[in-house]
Amino acid sequence: MQAFNDWLHCNGSTYGTWLRGDPRGWRSRRHREDCDGDYKHPPPKGKFDKEFKQSKDSMKREGVELSVAARRVACRAMVQALQFHHVEVLALCVGKKGWHALIRCPKKTRDGKTIEQMLKSHAEKSLGIAIPRLWRNRIARHFTGLAKKESARALSREGLAEPGGIWAGGCGVKPIKDRTHQTRAVKYIRDHVLQGAFVWLWLQELP
């Protein structure tokens, strides 16, 4: 689906807090597995207990939960990193176990190369093949990945995170359908302040 004015709603979680087989609902990477339900409509109780146990057993450490201070530092660092790479940010929040962002990615890198060309070149060089994927999503994951790295570094500098990484890999990417959907997405992200998240809105911080 074409995104309204190229706006995307991206989201992700901290390490180990939303696993394969999670009873709240889950999605396999690139939908390789048929898994019923999501957080709004969870799968039948016990259906994926085996997968959930395997995921938990494979973890090398406990899942990460961010303190109030860590949420503030991570949110600001993510916004600053995205803006540094010319990503437009309308809203971004970081909570105890995850983050949400409403962003629009640039078409070119800071040195003038197209983002799609850069990512395709990297994929073909490292893997030896061209990957037929939705490049819009790959581009969003590229920039949010940079933002996550910068926020992890910021938390480490401030002594607000344990060694070993903060974020789960990848992120969800959902295209904004229209202006109404965009407005709802901003409100949805803003309302995370009620759950203790630190929220950055265009030219405004909450709380």
Side-chain angles (χ1 to χ4, degrees):
M1 182 180 68
Q2 182 66 32
F4 169 69
N5 288 340
D6 295 325
W7 287 102
L8 302 171
H9 178 185
C10 303
N11 71 288
S13 60
T14 54
Y15 173 81
T17 57
W18 203 295
L19 303 173
R20 175 174 172 268
D22 195 302
R24 296 171 293 177
W26 57 288
R27 285 287 179 270
S28 64
R29 189 176 184 186
R30 301 180 189 172
H31 297 270
R32 287 173 178 157
E33 297 173 89
D34 181 19
C35 34
D36 301 333
D38 54 29
Y39 74 98
K40 290 183 179 178
H41 307 285
K45 186 176 181 180
K47 182 172 183 178
F48 296 109
D49 284 354
K50 179 181 177 181
E51 289 83 354
F52 191 47
K53 184 178 184 304
Q54 288 174 341
S55 298
K56 293 182 74 173
D57 290 345
S58 68
M59 290 174 59
K60 297 180 175 61
R61 55 197 172 90
E62 292 296 315
V64 175
E65 295 186 355
L66 300 177
S67 67
V68 173
R71 297 168 211 173
R72 180 182 299 106
V73 171
C75 183
R76 288 174 175 168
M78 290 182 76
V79 171
Q80 289 171 3
L82 290 169
Q83 291 179 335
F84 175 81
H85 291 285
H86 299 163
V87 178
E88 295 180 67
V89 185
L90 268 188
L92 192 148
C93 73
V94 175
K96 185 178 182 180
K97 297 182 180 180
W99 59 273
H100 287 265
L102 184 56
I103 63 173
R104 178 161 61 185
C105 299
K107 303 295 185 184
K108 295 184 178 181
T109 63
R110 292 174 61 84
D111 59 5
K113 184 183 292 186
T114 67
I115 303 295
E116 185 173 329
Q117 179 186 12
M118 180 194 71
L119 293 179
K120 283 183 177 179
S121 175
H122 175 73
E124 292 169 4
K125 189 181 216 180
S126 59
L127 301 177
I129 57 173
I131 304 176
R133 280 184 51 78
L134 186 57
W135 288 101
R136 178 192 66 204
N137 291 12
R138 290 180 65 85
I139 290 168
R141 291 182 180 121
H142 167 70
F143 284 115
T144 55
L146 294 175
K148 289 193 294 182
K149 286 181 181 178
E150 287 303 317
S151 66
R153 291 190 184 107
L155 290 174
S156 179
R157 287 195 300 269
E158 297 287 338
L160 294 170
E162 297 292 331
I166 305 300
W167 305 109
C171 74
V173 181
K174 182 180 293 185
I176 295 298
K177 301 175 184 177
D178 50 35
R179 176 63 176 170
T180 300
H181 185 194
Q182 183 186 45
T183 302
R184 287 203 310 265
V186 171
K187 182 179 184 300
Y188 174 76
I189 294 173
R190 182 196 68 197
D191 288 350
H192 276 70
V193 71
L194 302 175
Q195 303 169 29
F198 187 83
V199 179
W200 185 97
L201 302 175
W202 186 63
L203 300 180
Q204 183 180 8
E205 290 183 352
L206 300 175

